[in-house]
């Protein structure tokens, strides 16, 4: 199979099983793109993910775009993004047609409650993996804690935080603190 077809099918598969948004997708994305396809390293996926969070749009689609671009340029980015969103569009259309007729049923409400709990667990797992692989030195852990406090308790915009930490990283890198 050519790379464009492989990108489309891989990201369609990821998109089909990604419930709960971009954070829930990280374990599946890592398994497919890093372990199975060897298109990127774990660090590269985390970089794509970080950039995807700080650029406009949906994190998961942005990440798919970066992965596709890394494999096949502009067209690869477009194909990977289309692959990722195709299942969502189909599922949303199906759900929209049927949900209005069945949303009052208790088993449907319980199913969605269960899905929300499962997605929360997937998000939590992704966060733990990101902390373990990124906040792995005392300085990085302090940055993690300060960032969390700034967002959770001080309501500082994530955009401001990403820019500030990016500048801090550049300054630290220029001082020879690459592995700080």
């Amino acid at each position: 199979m050519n790379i464009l077809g492989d990108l489309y099918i891989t990201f369609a598969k990821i998109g089909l099983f990604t419930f709960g948004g971009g954070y829930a997708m990280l374990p599946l994305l890592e398994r497919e793109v890093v372990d199975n396809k060897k298109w990127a390293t774990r660090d590269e996926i985390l970089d794509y993910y970080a950039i995807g969070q700080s650029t406009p749009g949906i994190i998961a689609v942005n990440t798919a775009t970066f992965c596709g671009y890394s494999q096949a340029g502009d067209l690869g980015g477009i194909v990977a993004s289309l692959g990722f969103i195709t299942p969502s569009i189909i599922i949303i259309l199906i759900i929209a047609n049927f949900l209005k007729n069945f949303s009052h049923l208790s088993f449907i409400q319980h199913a969605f409650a269960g899905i929300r709990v499962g997605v929360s667990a997937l998000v939590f797992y992704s966060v733990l993996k990101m902390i373990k692989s990124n906040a792995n030195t005392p300085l990085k852990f302090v940055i993690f804690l300060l960032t969390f406090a700034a967002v959770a308790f001080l309501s500082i915009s994530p955009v401001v935080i990403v820019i500030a930490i990016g500048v801090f990283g550049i300054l630290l890198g220029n001082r020879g603190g690459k592995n700080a």
Side-chain angles (χ1 to χ4, degrees):
M1 175 179 298
N2 69 22
I3 187 65
L4 295 176
D6 203 13
L7 282 167
Y8 185 86
I9 289 171
T10 299
F11 282 98
K13 185 167 50 170
I14 293 169
L16 182 62
F17 296 105
T18 300
F19 294 94
Y23 296 108
M25 142 186 126
L26 193 55
L28 183 57
L29 181 73
E30 281 187 22
R31 189 174 327 122
E32 286 298 316
V33 173
V34 176
D35 298 335
N36 295 346
K37 300 293 183 179
K38 310 278 191 246
W39 287 338
T41 65
R42 279 194 168 45
D43 285 343
E44 288 170 333
I45 284 297
L46 290 172
D47 288 344
Y48 296 156
Y49 208 67
I51 294 167
Q53 286 180 295
S54 59
T55 54
I58 301 167
I59 296 167
V61 175
N62 291 349
T63 303
T65 304
F66 292 126
C67 290
Y69 180 83
S70 73
Q71 294 305 301
D74 293 340
L75 190 56
I78 292 167
V79 167
S81 298
L82 289 174
F84 187 82
I85 66 171
T86 299
S88 298
I89 291 170
I90 294 168
I91 291 169
I92 288 168
L93 289 172
I94 292 169
I95 290 173
N97 282 316
F98 291 104
L99 190 58
K100 66 181 177 185
N101 296 324
F102 300 106
S103 64
H104 66 283
L105 298 174
S106 65
F107 77 92
I108 297 291
Q109 293 171 356
H110 292 302
F112 279 114
I115 290 170
R116 285 192 299 270
V117 170
V119 166
S120 297
L122 291 172
V123 170
F124 184 67
Y125 174 73
S126 295
V127 168
L128 288 179
K129 282 184 74 171
M130 290 174 71
I131 291 168
K132 285 172 68 174
S133 64
N134 290 303
N136 53 7
T137 67
L139 177 59
K140 290 178 182 178
F141 191 73
V142 168
I143 292 169
F144 161 76
L145 290 176
L146 291 173
T147 301
F148 177 79
V151 172
F153 304 115
L154 303 176
S155 299
I156 297 174
S157 167
V159 173
V160 171
I161 292 170
V162 168
I163 292 169
I165 293 174
V167 169
F168 180 73
I170 290 168
L171 295 174
L172 195 63
N174 285 340
R175 297 184 67 221
K178 181 179 179 188
N179 293 320

